[in-house]
Structures are given as C-alpha cells and as structure tokens.
C-alpha cells in the first residue's frame, strides 16, 4: 500500500509512539471540542467551532513540529543543552519580575512583535531534562561520588525549580520529582537521593518564608486554601465536587461524545479537568483507555532504555516521557481527588497554545531517540565519543 | 550488580510504581463512577439547573397617528458580589476608597464616601454576595457606573451584577393618563392597560438555566425552553392633539372656576371613536391631574342635559309638539305634589313654547309638561320604556373597567322610592344617575341620526408592526327613535345655541348644537348647609348640520360664583371645537380645490413685503385670492377684506431701501446690492432697520432686527 510506504519512509522511529501520538491527538480534539462550550459561550458568543478549529490547527502544527524534531539527531539536543539552561535561567528571572500576569499568576512571557505568550517554565523543563540526561550519561562512572557526581548534577535542578516555584509551585514540584526519578534510574545512590529529598523540603520552606514577606511574588494563599480543601479542613472544593459528578455521570461507557453536562460547571474543563470530562463522555472505559495510552507511551520509552541502558539517548527518552507521565498522572490524580487542585494540564490532551508545542517538541525528541538508538551490543554509544 | 542491571531494575521499579498508580486511579474512578455513582449523580441533578421565567416585553399603546402613549423602557438594578472570585483583599483595599468616593458622588449623594466605605467593608465581612448598589439606573447611568473603581473589572473580578428590568413610561405624561391606565404588579391595573393586559403582556418565556459559576447562569438549549413572546401593541382612537387641547382648556376652566374635578370627552359621531378623554381632579397640592376616570366611572344626576331625553320621549309618543305652550310664570317656584321647583337661570317668560322652555332650560316648563303627559294613567311606564328605547339604561360597553351602570328607576317601583314627584324631577335630570360618557353617547346618537354607536378606544392590535386584529365601529341600536323625533331633537339643540343658554358662545366659523346643564349635587347636604354645590355641563356636537364630533364637558363644583353650565362648560367645548375646526381639513371644503394644501389658520397670512413673482406664486399655490396693483419687481402685501392686495414697494435708487416686512433672503439681496454692510439679529421678518429708508447710501453698516 502506498500510504503505508510513505509512512514507512517519512515517519522514522517507533511506530507505536507515532500511533499513540495520533490517538492522543484524536482524544484531545474530541474532548476539547466538548469542553469548550462554556468558554465559547462566555467569549465567542456561543461559537464552539471557533475553539475546535483553533485547537485542531495547533495540533496539526504540533504534529508538524514533532515530525521536524524527530528528523534531527538527538545528540544535537545534547550538545546545545548547557546553553539552553543558560538561556532558561534569565528567562525565568525575567518572568518572575516582569512577566505577564494571567489568572493572578505571573508565569508568562510575551514574545515581542509576535503577540505570542508562552510559559517560560515549559522551556526550562525541556532544557533541564535534556541537560539531566546528558549529565547522567556523562557521569555514569562517577555517579556515586558526591562532589564530582551528585552536586554538579543537582545544582541546575535546584536553581531552575527554585525559580519556577514562586509562581507555579506544582510545575516546580513535578519537575523536581521527575529529575529525582531520572537520577534514581540513572543509578544515583539512595543516600544522595535522600539528601535530595531533604533539599527539596528545605527549598519548600524557603519559598514559604519568602511568601510571607513578599506575597505578591508567591501564591501562598492559593496553595494553602487548596491544600486545606483537600485535607477536608474546609468544605470540599466546588470544582472537585463537579469533577466527581462528571465522573459519576459517565458510569461504565459514558454519556457519549459532546453530551457532557458538567463541562458547564467545571472551571477549565478543557484544561485542568479534561480527564473528568473524558470520563463523563466515555465512561470508566474511556478513562482507563487514556491511562493505558500514557502507560503504553511510557512502556515504549522504557523499552528504549532496555536496549541501551547507559546511553544518553535512552536516558533522554526516559526522562522526557517521565516528565509527561508525572504531569499526566498528577492531573488525573487531581481529577479523581487523589491530590489537591494544582492547575496542571493533561499533556497531549488539554487545550493550550504554546505548551502543546513544547510537548510536541518533547515527543519529537523521543521519536528521534527511538529512530537512532541501536542495541548496545551492536554499537557502544556514549556521549564521550560524541563530544570528543 | 552490573550497571545495566541496576539501571533496568530501578527502571522497572519506576514503571511498576506508575502501573500501580494507574491501578489506583482506575479504582478511584470506579469508586466515584460506579460505587458512589448514584450519590454524585443525584447531587448533580439537584442544583445547578433551574427554569427561569423570562419576562416578555410589554406591548406599546399607540395614539391614532401611531405616537407612543405608553411604552416600556429598560432600567437597571446594580448589585455587587463582595466575594467575587477575583476580588481579593489587595484589589479591594487598593480601590475601595476611590469607589466609595464615586458612589457618594454619583449614586447616592445622601451617603458620604466614608459611610459608603464602611457599608462596603461591613458587607464584605458579612460575605454579602448580593449587595444593592443602585436601583432604577438608566443605560447612561449604568455605563458610567461601569467605569468606577473595582466595578470596572466586571463580574468576576469586580463583583458587578447587573439586572435588567423594565419600566412603563408615558411620553405624554399626564395626557389621557387614566384612560391609558396603569400597569401595576402589586395593585390592580387600570384603564386600557388593564382591559388589554392579555394582549399587551405577551407570553412569559421559560428557559432552562445552568449554573456555571456562583451567580452565573447560562441558558442551555433544551427542547423544553420557551422563548418569551413580546406583547402586542394596541392602537387607540385617541388623538394626541385633541387630547392636549381638551386637557389644556379643561385645566384652565377648572382652575379659573376653582372646581373640584372635571371631565371632557370627544367622540367621533359616525363611528363612536373616542378622540379624547380628559379626567382631571384637584390634587392635594391644588394642581389638576388625571386622578380618576370620571368620564367612565362617575355616575351622577345629569341635570338639564337629561331634558333632551324627556322631550324626545314625549315627542316619540306624540304627546307634545315643540310648539305647545306652557305656563312658566317667570320661572318662579312651582309646587309639584308639595315639593317646590324653580328655574335655575332667571328669565322673562310668563308663557313659553316647549322649545323655548328647553332653550332657556326651564325646569318648571319641562317638569310641567312631563307631569301633565306621563303622571296620569300610569304613564310613567311609557316614559321609562322610552328611556330604555334610547338605550339610556344600558352601559356603553367602553373598554375600560369600572363603568357604572345607569340608574334609571323602574316605573312605579316602590323599592326604588318611586313617588309622584319622580316624573317631574326625573324629567329635568334628577332621580337618575348616568355617567358623562353615557350622556354623551345618547347625544351622539341624536347627532348620528338616531344610530346608537358603541364608544370605543382601541382600533387595532398589532404584532411587530403588523395588524393582527381590527376593531370596527359597533352599532348598539340601529335607530333609537323615529326620524322625525331625531330631527326635532336636533332643532331643539340648535335652538339652545341660536337663542338659548349657549347663545353667547355662538361662532360664525362653524355651527354647533347642544344642551347646557346645571345640576345641584349632594342635594340634601348642600341645601342644608345653605351653600349649594353644582355640576355644570354641556353636551353637544358640531357642525350642527353634518355632525362630525360630539363632545361633553362636565365640571364639578365650580366654586367661584359662576356655576351655570353655559358659562363654565361651554367655553371648554368651544376651545376643543375651535381647535378641531382649525386643524381638520374636512371643515374647509370651500377653499379645498383639487389637491392643494390647506392653510391651517383662520387669518389670512400677511407677508409684509417681498419679491413680487414669488409672493404671487405662494399665494396662488394656496388658492388665496390676490389683487395686483403694480408691476414692480418688489411688492408690499396688505389684507383687504378676503383678498390680498399687492402694491408696489418702490426702492428708489441711491437711497437706503425699505426692507421692513421682508424675509431675510430678500432683505439681504436688496441691501447688499446697494453696497450696505448688513448685520442681522433674530429670525423671521424684518421688523426694523437701523438706517431709515431714504437715507443716503454710503456703504455704511446697517443693522436689521428680525422677529
């Protein structure tokens, strides 16, 4: 078949990941279309297809971006990663001080002349994960050494997460956690990981301390109210109740595409609570299906590591997919009330402009890895060779 | 442990963790969706959805020419959600002072900025999410309020809640206020607003609303939703100009005579359409306002205007002729069965015909004849029968609630206190009660050649400008009396104006006919107190030969000495009739040729001076007769009898021309052509010029005054 041939020629890398990506895009399209009803009513006079077309456009552009990124050899990303970190830090600083405020949080940077806004943390996450993968791969031989291995590795993590945290605590925690898992897989000693946990706790306290003196830069009040709501100290959050009603409405097989009722009550049903909407429209089966897609994606990446455990590529794919996994599971856990409300979107599915593009790049890099990585036995691939 | 093995082991642990987490999530979804499902679902159904009644816009009430008599305007109530999601302490504290200042300056001045502030702060502490800021704001006021601090951030951040309501307005204010009526929600509606409520109110809609955030309800599409249907408009017979004239002249008369209240009704003879219905009563502050529908609701002893019915009954029965002679004895008191009666207005008749007694409104005369004709042989039965025949015992059926039923005693009914004095007193308009409208309707039938029409106020129902229902004139009785009786009645009424009590108000412009009435009201109480209270009235129609409008004017308790119907009520009739005569083209057939426009004035126009050709053109266009006595370029105009005389306006060369009487264009042309520098003041025609005509021309400045 011709189409099959073209796909075979053009789409390099793991076909399974491509398939997951396409399925996710489809789910995203359906769920976003269903859940933007309220938004369309509030902002576009009820024209729901306006959001559909915009979102579809972004998804297509995202796929194109993924395609472009997967054509580049992943080692190229490794080479630029220290510079990316060096760009990310001032960007984050700039955001904290002069970034655009949306929904009471200063997380956004406006690109001059383009009118685009993006979250600087999206960029920083990507940069940090690539850098982590590179460092873990480079320092495999010194990995158990505190001064030569551990300290240089966690310094960028602490700096970047510390800069993200004031405006976007959940993203910072997710990123920090992702890096911790990467280190765990990358053979960092358990003792050091324990120190890392302590370090994280210390950072939290520091941020809370700063928040007390400078409430404008730290969203302390929002956090504490969300946490107390989750702990059941105050009455259950309105949005959580609505999310549960949505999930309950779905029962086993859902109320059907486009028939969601709770989308009209849930705040940000197209982003934070999209999983509840999916459960309402497609039922428990739909919810399980989405979970399965994420686990499958992760499994494909895990498989890459089994091919070449010590290689930079494998660690990179694993780290990037971990980032998606942690974020996805956090979002879902919020929807089913396993975690307090965070405001983290569901990667690959939620609506959102530039953050989808960063996720597309992420997947492009994963696909690039899957395309180029070879079995360890055939080609001993290390970064040392490459950078020499 | 090899590197590879260590990495893979740790990786599998991570993967397993995710798989376990996935399983926990699936369990949790299962728990919410299936185990606790019922509970959550019922919670979802309970609230957050409700039907909201959607008020329909009330229809308009229109005058005969389509002008708005009553309409609905939107106004706004503004409340504030002091716990709106985005209204945090920072914002509140930063802008509360300036908001309070604005509120104290523009919304409620009686409250200081400080008091507004503490009010707002208290309500915020009390978590008031629905605090009243202002009621009844116009759109402009609302738009200004939307620029105030805090509120300018809108609903989510500023807590602004705006609710639309609508207010009934009457562009013509008090004009026909009681007839148009009032639409009230917490009290019975009145007038046309009440009668036609079913048409005007439209249909309330039903809309399923979903709550998307606290206080935001979004309509959702649902088959059970019903859109509100806008109320229909009604077109009335009321004519704004006639109503206005009647209102003004009645007000003047009431004020002049220091009366208690009064009413005036104008009706179109052929159709029964009410062109004007004025009801004025003295309010507590001494001003006359539309306070009660006396025309329809006030039933009273009609007095002398009822004599027409008595005479017509006798004429119909062939028991008298208008030329029969009656002993009047100067109208001195005469006893009927021990009760004394005398004439209200003094006169010099010793003996008079029936016609003369009617014209002078002699109580004694009319009562004597009636007593003679109807008292023997239970003749009262015939009398009452005739009154019924004239339709005087029936309501007119006007579309206004509260019309009183006429009170006409049944013949010889003891329960109604029928006695021997009933016939003579009823004959002159006592012992019976009718409303002004009912009397008018009877006179209208006489004017209409005996055809009794139903008076009506509404001609059309319109839906979005399209006529959906038309109301045609209704005939109540084809012929209330023989043609000869009607003819005699009309002669009698013409006689009142020609030689009788209304003689003073005769005019050359048009003919009118009618009957004055002066009745004593609160007979027993006012008699006892020594100061009688009167009700003056005049019912009639015009023009007398081909009646077009019938009018009744009733003025209650005129206090300033004069109380006769003739001097109190007839001037109001005249003011109304004069006006209609002036504006209604139908009265000016004589000068109406082909399709020329009519001059709506009585006096010939006097244009002082102007360009001869143009003057001729204008006068010819209006069909005015002119005589030209010069061939000059400029002419002066003078009125001579019924024609206009054009004489030469000579503008001698090299002297200042005479531009007095000219319009501005002509004056400027003439003056500037003579090299003068013209300064103008005022509008209209030139009244004076600063340099007198005949002066030497030297390019000087000339001031002309126009008015």
């Amino acid at each position: 078949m011709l189409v099959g041939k073209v796909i075979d020629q053009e789409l390099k890398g793991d076909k399974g990941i491509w398939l997951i990506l396409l399925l996710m895009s489809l789910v995203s399209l359906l769920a976003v279309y269903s859940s933007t009803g309220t938004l369309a009513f509030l902002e576009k006079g009820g024209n729901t297809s306006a959001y559909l077309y915009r979102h579809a456009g972004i998804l297509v552009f995202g796929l194109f971006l993924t395609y472009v990124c997967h054509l580049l050899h992943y080692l190229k990303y490794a080479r630029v990663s220290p510079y990316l970190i060096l760009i990310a830090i001032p960007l984050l600083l700039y955001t904290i001080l002069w970034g655009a405020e949306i929904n009471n949080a200063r997380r956004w940077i406006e690109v001059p002349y383009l009118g685009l806004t993006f979250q600087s943390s999206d960029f920083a996450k990507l940069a940090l994960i690539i850098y982590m993968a590179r460092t873990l791969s480079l320092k495999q031989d010194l990995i158990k050494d505190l001064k030569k291995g551990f300290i240089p590795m966690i310094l960028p993590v602490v700096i970047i997460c510390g800069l993200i945290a004031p405006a976007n605590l959940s993203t910072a925690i997710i990123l920090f956690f992702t890096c911790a898992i990467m280190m765990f897989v990358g053979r960092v000693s358990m003792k050091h990981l324990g120190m890392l946990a302590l370090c994280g706790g210390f950072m939290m306290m520091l941020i809370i301390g700063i928040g007390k003196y400078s409430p404008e830069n730290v969203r302390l009040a929002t956090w504490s109210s969300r946490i107390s709501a989750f702990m059941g100290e105050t009455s259950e959050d309105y949005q959580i109740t609505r999310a549960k009603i949505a999930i309950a409405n779905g029962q086993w097989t859902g109320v059907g595409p486009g028939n969601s009722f709770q989308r009209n009550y849930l705040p940000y049903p197209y982003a934070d609570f999209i999983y509840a909407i999916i459960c309402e429209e497609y039922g428990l089966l739909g919810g399980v299906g989405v979970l399965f897609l994420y686990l499958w994606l992760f499994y494909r990446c895990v498989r890459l590591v089994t091919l070449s455990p010590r290689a930079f590529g494998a660690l990179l794919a694993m780290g990037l997919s971990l980032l998606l996994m942690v974020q996805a599971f956090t979002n879902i856990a919020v929807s089913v009330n396993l975690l307090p409300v965070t405001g983290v979107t569901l990667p690959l599915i939620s609506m959102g402009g530039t953050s989808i593009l960063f996720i597309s790049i992420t997947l492009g890099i994963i696909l690039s890895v899957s395309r180029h990585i070879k079995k360890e036995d055939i080609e001993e691939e290390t970064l040392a060779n490459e950078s020499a | 442990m090899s590197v590879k093995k260590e990495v893979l082991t740790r990786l599998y642990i991570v993967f397993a963790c995710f798989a376990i987490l996935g399983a926990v999530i699936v369990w949790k979804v299962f728990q919410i969706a299936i185990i606790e499902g019922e509970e959550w679902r019922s919670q979802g159904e309970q609230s957050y959805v409700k039907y909201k009644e959607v008020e329909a816009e009330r229809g308009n009430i229109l005058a005969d020419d389509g002008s708005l008599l009553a309409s609905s305007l939107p106004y706004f109530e503004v409340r504030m959600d002091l716990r709106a999601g985005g209204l945090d302490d920072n914002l509140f504290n930063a802008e509360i002072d300036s908001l309070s200042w604005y509120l104290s300056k523009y919304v409620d001045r009686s409250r200081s900025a400080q008091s507004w502030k503490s009010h707002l702060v208290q309500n915020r502490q009390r978590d008031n999410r629905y605090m009243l800021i202002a009621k009844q704001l116009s759109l402009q006021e609302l738009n200004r309020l939307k620029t105030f601090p805090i509120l300018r951030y809108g609903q989510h951040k500023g807590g602004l809640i705006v609710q639309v309501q609508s207010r009934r307005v009457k562009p013509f204010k008090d004009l026909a206020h009681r007839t148009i009526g009032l639409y009230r929600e917490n009290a019975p509606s009145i007038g046309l607003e009440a009668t036609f409520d079913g048409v005007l109110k439209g249909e309330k809609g039903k809309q399923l609303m979903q709550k998307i955030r606290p206080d935001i309800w979004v309509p959702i599409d649902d088959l059970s939703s019903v859109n509100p249907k806008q109320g229909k408009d009604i077109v009335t017979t009321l004519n704004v100009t006639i109503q206005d004239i009647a209102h003004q002249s009645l007000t003047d008369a009431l004020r002049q005579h220091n009366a208690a209240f009064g009413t005036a009704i104008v009706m179109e003879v052929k159709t029964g359409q009410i062109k004007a219905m004025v009801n004025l009563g003295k309010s507590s502050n001494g001003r006359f306002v539309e306070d009660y529908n006396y025309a329809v609701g006030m039933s009273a002893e009609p007095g002398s205007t009822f004599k027409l019915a008595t005479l017509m009954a006798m004429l119909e029965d062939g028991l008298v002729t208008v030329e029969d002679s009656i002993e009047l004895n100067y109208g001195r008191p005469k006893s009927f069965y021990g009760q004394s009666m005398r004439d209200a207005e003094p006169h010099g008749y010793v003996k008079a015909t029936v016609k003369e007694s009617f014209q002078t409104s002699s109580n004694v005369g009319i009562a004597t004849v009636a007593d003679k004709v109807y008292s023997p042989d239970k003749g009262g039965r015939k009398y009452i029968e005739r009154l019924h025949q004239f339709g005087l015992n029936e309501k007119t059926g006007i579309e206004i609630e509260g019309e009183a039923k006429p009170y006409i005693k049944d013949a010889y009914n003891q329960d109604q206190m029928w006695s021997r004095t009933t016939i003579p007193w009823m004959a002159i308009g006592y012992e019976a009660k009718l409303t002004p409208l009912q009397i008018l309707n009877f006179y209208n039938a006489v004017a209409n050649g005996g055809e009794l029409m139903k008076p009506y106020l509404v001609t059309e129902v319109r839906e979005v400008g399209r006529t959906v229902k038309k109301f045609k004139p209704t005939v109540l009785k084809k012929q209330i009396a023989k043609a000869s009786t009607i003819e005699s009645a009309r002669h009698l009424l013409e006689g009142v104006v020609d030689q009788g009590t209304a003689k003073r108000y005769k005019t050359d412009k048009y003919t009118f006919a009618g009957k004055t009435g002066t009745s004593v009201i609160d007979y027993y109480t006012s008699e006892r107190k020594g100061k009688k209270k009167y009700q003056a009235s005049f019912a009639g129609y015009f023009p007398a030969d081909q009646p077009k409008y019938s009018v009744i004017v009733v003025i209650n308790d005129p206090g300033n000495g004069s109380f006769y119907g003739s001097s109190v009520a007839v001037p109001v009739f005249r003011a109304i009739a004069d006006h209609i005569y002036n504006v209604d083209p139908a009265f000016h057939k004589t000068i109406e040729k082909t399709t020329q426009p009519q001059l709506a004035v009585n006096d010939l126009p006097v244009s002082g001076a102007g360009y001869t050709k143009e003057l001729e053109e204008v006068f010819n266009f209006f069909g005015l007769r002119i005589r030209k006595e010069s061939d000059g370029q400029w002419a002066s105009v003078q009125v001579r009898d019924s024609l206009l005389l054009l004489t030469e306006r000579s503008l001698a060369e090299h002297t200042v021309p005479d531009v007095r009487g000219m319009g501005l264009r002509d004056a400027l042309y003439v003056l500037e052509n003579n090299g003068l520098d013209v300064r103008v003041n005022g509008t209209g025609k030139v009244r004076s010029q600063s340099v007198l005509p005949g002066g030497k021309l030297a390019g000087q400045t000339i001031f002309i005054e126009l008015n």
Side-chain angles (χ1 to χ4, degrees), chain B residues 99-356:
Chain B
L99 175 64
S100 308
W101 184 82
Y102 274 101
L103 290 175
S104 73
K105 188 160 165 61
Y106 294 111
V107 175
D108 184 355
R109 290 162 156 280
S110 66
R111 188 172 251 170
S112 69
Q114 193 50 47
S115 136
W116 265 111
K117 184 182 173 179
S118 58
H119 188 54
L120 286 164
V121 169
Q122 271 171 21
N123 276 285
R124 185 172 159 86
Q125 278 161 1
R126 258 185 258 133
D127 290 338
N128 189 344
R129 309 201 65 164
Y130 199 58
M131 185 193 130
L132 182 68
I133 299 287
K135 275 180 171 174
Q136 308 230 333
L137 292 185
S138 70
L139 186 61
Q140 288 119 301
E141 289 169 318
L142 174 71
N143 283 338
R144 186 174 58 196
L145 193 130
K146 279 182 176 170
T147 65
F148 289 178
I150 299 184
L151 296 176
R152 66 178 161 215
Y153 300 112
Q155 176 159 21
H156 307 306
K157 202 170 172 193
L160 178 72
I161 300 170
V162 178
Q163 285 165 328
V164 192
Q165 274 146 325
S166 76
R167 173 170 46 193
R168 203 70 174 152
V169 290
K170 289 180 177 169
F172 292 98
K173 306 264 189 279
D174 206 32
L175 272 197
H177 174 70
R178 276 279 145 172
T179 309
I180 298 165
L182 282 171
Y183 169 66
R184 300 181 283 206
E185 268 167 16
N186 40 12
S189 298
I190 55 165
L192 291 176
E193 294 270 23
T195 316
F196 286 86
D197 187 50
V199 174
L200 291 167
K201 75 178 176 199
E203 284 165 28
K204 276 185 186 166
K206 230 172 52 170
Q207 174 72 59
L208 194 60
M209 306 288 282
Q210 259 187 349
K211 194 179 193 175
I212 56 168
R213 309 227 178 108
D215 293 333
I216 310 182
W217 291 89
V218 174
I220 54 173
D221 286 326
D222 186 275
L223 288 177
S224 59
S225 295
V226 181
N227 284 333
K229 250 177 104 178
Q230 194 193 334
K232 299 183 184 84
D233 298 342
I234 56 173
V235 183
T236 66
T237 58
L238 294 174
N239 180 292
V240 174
T241 26
I242 299 179
Q243 180 79 32
D244 189 32
I245 290 293
H247 190 98
Q248 292 310 325
S249 39
L250 185 65
T251 309
D252 291 345
L254 291 170
R255 209 178 285 150
Q256 188 191 336
H257 298 289
N258 191 23
F261 62 82
T263 175
I265 314 168
V266 180
M267 188 164 159
E268 196 175 62
V269 170
K270 291 264 173 289
T271 57
Q273 289 189 0
I274 304 292
K275 302 313 285 182
M277 186 180 267
V278 188
N279 292 289
L280 296 170
K282 193 191 272 181
S283 67
S284 49
N285 62 9
R287 291 179 53 238
F288 288 97
V289 294
E290 289 251 351
D291 61 348
Y292 177 74
N293 202 324
Y294 303 104
V296 172
M298 183 202 61
S299 204
E301 290 174 320
S304 307
T305 49
F306 198 75
K307 287 170 186 165
L308 179 68
T310 308
L311 271 189
M312 276 173 65
M314 294 189 284
L315 289 166
E316 187 79 357
D317 282 329
L319 298 171
V320 292
T321 71
V322 292
E323 299 305 333
D324 287 354
S325 178
I326 316 164
E327 194 91 24
L328 290 192
N329 193 22
Y330 304 108
R332 284 182 189 139
K334 179 178 173 179
S335 168
F336 291 91
Y337 314 104
Q339 285 274 358
S340 168
M341 177 191 292
R342 59 185 182 86
D343 286 355
E345 293 186 58
H347 54 78
Y349 288 107
V350 182
K351 226 174 165 144
T353 61
V354 167
K355 188 182 180 197
E356 282 163 343

Side-chain angles (χ1 to χ4, degrees), chain A residues 144-163:
Chain A
K144 309 279 179 190
D145 187 286
L146 180 70
K147 277 189 186 139
K148 287 180 184 160
F150 182 66
I151 302 285
M153 217 179 326
I154 67 154
L155 220 65
V157 176
V158 170
I159 292 168
I160 297 236
C161 291
L163 288 175

Side-chain angles (χ1 to χ4, degrees), chain A residues 14-24 288-303 321 325 329, chain B residues 15 18:
Chain A
D14 193 314
K15 297 289 184 299
I17 297 178
W18 275 111
L19 181 62
I20 294 164
L21 180 56
L22 288 173
L23 286 173
M24 289 280 208
V288 171
V290 169
L291 270 178
F292 173 73
L293 283 179
Y294 282 109
L295 285 168
W296 187 17
L297 176 66
F298 190 48
Y299 168 73
R300 297 307 299 182
C301 297
V302 166
R303 222 183 56 92
S321 62
M325 286 299 286
F329 275 65
Chain B
F15 187 80
F18 275 105

Side-chain angles (χ1 to χ4, degrees), chain A residues 190-213:
Chain A
M190 294 306 285
K191 200 172 74 185
H192 294 166
L193 284 172
M195 283 165 64
L196 188 65
L198 279 175
C199 174
F202 178 72
M203 271 171 69
M204 273 298 297
M205 271 151 59
L206 193 70
I207 288 162
I208 290 169
I210 293 170
K212 289 246 157 85
Y213 290 100

Side-chain angles (χ1 to χ4, degrees), chain A residues 92-388:
Chain A
L92 287 170
L93 268 171
Y94 174 86
T95 313
I96 289 178
L97 297 172
W98 301 290
E101 196 173 320
I102 297 177
N103 292 334
N104 293 329
R106 199 170 278 162
R107 298 173 182 171
W108 302 79
I109 285 186
E110 277 177 55
V111 183
Y113 311 116
L114 280 178
L116 265 178
T117 53
F118 71 94
Q119 290 202 26
S120 48
S121 59
D122 277 335
F123 176 79
K125 281 192 287 192
L126 203 51
L128 184 62
I129 299 293
I130 301 172
Y131 182 79
M132 277 297 295
R134 178 178 180 272
T135 322
L136 278 172
S137 172
L138 280 175
K139 307 231 181 226
Q140 267 308 306
D141 300 331
L142 308 162
I143 205 74
K144 309 279 179 190
D145 187 286
L146 180 70
K147 277 189 186 139
K148 287 180 184 160
F150 182 66
I151 302 285
M153 217 179 326
I154 67 154
L155 220 65
V157 176
V158 170
I159 292 168
I160 297 236
C161 291
L163 288 175
I164 294 175
N168 201 344
L169 183 67
S170 34
T171 298
I173 293 176
I174 286 170
L175 185 58
F176 189 85
F177 192 54
T178 307
C179 291
I181 301 173
M182 275 180 85
M183 288 183 211
F184 171 71
V185 177
R187 293 175 52 247
V188 172
S189 80
M190 294 306 285
K191 200 172 74 185
H192 294 166
L193 284 172
M195 283 165 64
L196 188 65
L198 279 175
C199 174
F202 178 72
M203 271 171 69
M204 273 298 297
M205 271 151 59
L206 193 70
I207 288 162
I208 290 169
I210 293 170
K212 289 246 157 85
Y213 290 100
S214 167
E216 275 186 32
N217 289 319
V218 184
R219 304 189 334 132
L220 214 56
T222 315
W223 303 336
S224 62
S225 77
R226 282 174 176 175
I227 290 167
S228 65
F230 178 71
M231 306 298 273
E233 285 165 20
T234 55
S235 65
E236 193 166 51
D237 204 314
Y238 168 79
Q239 32 196 354
I240 284 300
T241 313
R242 303 322 300 179
K244 283 183 174 174
I245 293 169
I247 293 168
N249 279 344
Q251 300 191 56
W252 287 102
T253 52
V255 295
N259 293 337
S260 165
F261 203 58
Q262 297 303 316
R263 64 184 173 197
N264 296 316
Y265 307 132
L266 271 169
Y268 312 111
Y270 43 84
D272 300 12
F273 284 95
I274 202 161
Y275 189 74
I277 302 296
I278 292 172
C279 285
E280 186 180 18
E281 294 200 340
Y282 305 96
L284 180 63
L285 292 179
V288 171
V290 169
L291 270 178
F292 173 73
L293 283 179
Y294 282 109
L295 285 168
W296 187 17
L297 176 66
F298 190 48
Y299 168 73
R300 297 307 299 182
C301 297
V302 166
R303 222 183 56 92
L304 294 175
V305 183
T306 58
L307 287 176
S308 173
R310 279 198 299 171
F312 160 69
L315 285 169
L316 180 59
M318 191 264 303
L320 291 174
S321 62
L322 260 178
L323 183 64
L324 295 180
M325 286 299 286
V326 176
Q327 194 181 328
F329 275 65
T330 307
N331 172 284
I332 294 172
V334 169
S335 282
V336 300
N337 198 24
L338 283 169
L339 281 179
V341 177
T342 58
V344 169
T345 58
L346 190 58
L348 292 162
I349 291 181
S350 286
M351 187 173 87
T354 45
S355 67
I356 289 185
L357 302 182
F358 280 103
I359 291 165
S360 300
I361 296 170
T362 308
L363 274 157
I365 299 171
I366 293 173
L367 281 162
S368 170
V369 172
S370 73
R371 177 185 163 196
H372 294 288
I373 203 163
K374 297 287 182 318
K375 275 203 166 162
E376 201 175 18
D377 310 334
I378 300 163
E379 188 192 330
E380 184 67 29
E381 178 206 28
T382 62
L383 268 184
N385 297 346
E386 180 62 31
S387 53

